Amino acid sequence: PNMVLLSMFIVHYLNRAIVFPLRMRASAPMPLSVMGLALLFCSVNGYLQARYLTHMHRYPSDWLQSLKFVAGATMWLHGFYLNNQADGILRNLRKANDTERYKIPRGGLFEFVSGANYCAEIYEWFGFAVACWSIPAATFAVFAFLNTAPRGAAHHKWYLEKFEDYPKGRKAVIPFVW
């Protein structure tokens, strides 16, 4: 069970670190400080998650059949899918020769929230936390929320100010709630 849980974590970050950048179109440069802080956080968090799953806790052999694991892994997988779907929607908003700089994202979770990618990331990591049922994974899920939810709220505010025809019922990060 430990290696399955660790693999879930690794799959996300292989996707984020390798697949996602290769699929991106050229965009504005990222400030070095943002990249440095992200690298620091991911390194410390990766170490903590890996250390816990490889040295500090041994799950019982039947953990993969437990309700906690099945529910959490299902949430994680669904969140992973929704996260990639949202990234694809954002990536494909503009075609190569579009003159319109900004567009309203539509489809998937974007029908419910402005920060669909943030919502999916939060959901994915809360799923991981349920599947692991550990303090390190739960702490990571909370920090994922605290890091991404304000960004989703800021995007929501920007969309509302930028587009007169922006869907008024769309929430910021949590469908039907906020």
Side-chain angles (χ1 to χ4, degrees):
N2 290 62
M3 291 303 108
V4 171
L5 293 164
L6 184 59
S7 295
M8 291 164 61
F9 186 83
I10 291 170
V11 163
H12 171 88
Y13 278 103
L14 283 176
N15 181 62
R16 263 297 163 238
I18 297 170
V19 177
F20 178 77
L22 291 174
R23 297 178 75 195
M24 283 178 60
R25 294 189 180 144
S27 63
M30 178 186 298
L32 194 56
S33 61
V34 171
M35 187 186 78
L37 288 172
L39 180 63
L40 176 65
F41 173 80
C42 289
S43 297
V44 170
N45 182 52
Y47 172 78
L48 293 174
Q49 301 303 326
R51 181 81 177 162
Y52 182 81
L53 291 169
T54 60
H55 290 87
M56 297 177 71
H57 183 73
R58 190 67 47 216
Y59 287 89
S61 59
D62 63 346
W63 185 256
L64 299 181
Q65 289 80 43
S66 71
L67 180 59
K68 291 172 187 169
F69 175 79
V70 172
T74 301
M75 288 171 63
W76 179 86
L77 188 61
H78 191 222
F80 184 79
Y81 168 79
L82 292 171
N83 201 354
N84 282 289
Q85 180 188 53
D87 288 343
I89 289 169
L90 289 173
R91 187 175 47 253
N92 294 314
L93 273 180
R94 283 186 280 146
K95 302 301 175 212
N97 53 0
D98 249 348
T99 56
E100 211 174 344
R101 186 169 165 117
Y102 298 107
K103 293 184 179 181
I104 299 171
R106 301 204 186 272
L109 272 176
F110 283 109
E111 295 303 314
F112 305 99
V113 294
S114 299
N117 48 337
Y118 301 124
C119 175
E121 183 104 1
I122 292 164
Y123 181 51
E124 183 179 351
W125 291 123
F126 271 89
F128 181 73
V130 171
C132 290
W133 208 254
S134 71
I135 291 174
T139 302
F140 177 39
V142 169
F143 276 103
F145 176 83
L146 294 174
N147 179 41
T148 58
R151 291 170 25 206
H155 285 179
H156 182 67
K157 183 178 181 228
W158 182 87
Y159 279 122
L160 289 170
E161 292 170 357
K162 176 82 176 160
F163 297 101
E164 288 180 20
D165 61 336
Y166 196 73
K168 302 299 180 216
R170 194 178 284 185
K171 300 295 183 182
V173 180
I174 303 171
F176 312 110
V177 178
W178 174 60

